[in-house]
């Protein structure tokens, strides 16, 4: 199988914790095939939700700067990227809306529940 190729990221910039949509080709056969997603060099696979071989939802980790979004799969190896993502933490307001990503699993590891909590300015 050809390697993953990221051809689009939406939005193209954001802050840590922001959910982005990664689009491309050969992004994995299924969720278990995806072994790594690096956004601006930071490993974010644990914050990802596989949608299809052409779409993955992922949360940006604690990074700053601009760089590639690289997906690695068991079936296709390390991928390529034709776009960049810019993450900026310089202007975060302490009263701005934030997201906290909590993952819970049952003791047998069969199910994973994802919750997103937000806090907004008052």
């Amino acid at each position: 199988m050809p390697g993953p190729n990221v051809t689009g990221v939406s939005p193209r910039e954001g802050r840590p914790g922001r959910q982005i949509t990664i689009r491309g080709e050969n992004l994995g056969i299924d969720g278990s095939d995806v072994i790594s997603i690096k956004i601006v060099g930071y490993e974010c696979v644990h914050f990802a939700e596989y949608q299809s071989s052409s779409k993955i939802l992922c949360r940006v980790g604690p990074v700053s700067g601009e760089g590639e979004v690289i997906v690695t799969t068991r079936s296709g190896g390390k991928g390529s990227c034709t776009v960049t993502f810019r993450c900026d933490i310089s202007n975060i307001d302490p009263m701005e809306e934030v997201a906290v990503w909590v993952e819970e699993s049952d003791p047998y590891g069969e199910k994973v529940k994802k919750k997103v909590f937000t806090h907004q300015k008052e």
Side-chain angles (χ1 to χ4, degrees):
M1 174 176 214
N5 181 26
V6 174
T7 57
V9 177
S10 178
R12 300 278 306 263
E13 60 182 54
R15 296 191 172 128
R18 171 81 185 207
Q19 181 172 302
I20 65 171
T21 301
I22 301 168
R23 294 194 181 274
E25 303 164 338
N26 307 312
L27 300 181
I29 297 167
D30 56 29
S32 64
D33 190 35
V34 179
I35 56 174
S36 176
I37 299 174
K38 290 192 176 180
I39 301 173
V40 191
Y42 187 83
E43 183 59 64
C44 298
V45 74
H46 301 293
F47 310 115
E49 184 178 329
Y50 180 86
Q51 300 287 303
S52 70
S53 64
S54 61
K55 179 180 175 184
I56 297 174
L57 303 178
C58 192
R59 293 222 174 255
V60 177
V63 297
S64 181
E66 186 170 350
E68 295 181 316
V69 177
I70 300 293
V71 176
T72 304
T73 63
R74 284 177 173 64
S75 60
K78 185 176 180 180
S80 59
C81 181
T82 60
V83 295
T84 60
F85 179 82
R86 189 171 71 83
C87 189
D88 185 14
I89 62 172
S90 62
N91 296 321
I92 295 179
D93 180 347
M95 297 305 291
E96 193 168 326
E97 179 181 337
V98 296
V100 178
W101 187 269
V102 178
E103 292 188 341
E104 299 174 354
S105 62
D106 70 9
Y108 305 104
E110 294 177 6
K111 296 180 182 177
V112 176
K113 301 172 188 172
K114 298 176 183 172
K115 300 178 183 179
V116 177
F117 301 93
T118 60
H119 172 72
Q120 298 178 357
K121 285 186 185 181
E122 296 186 27

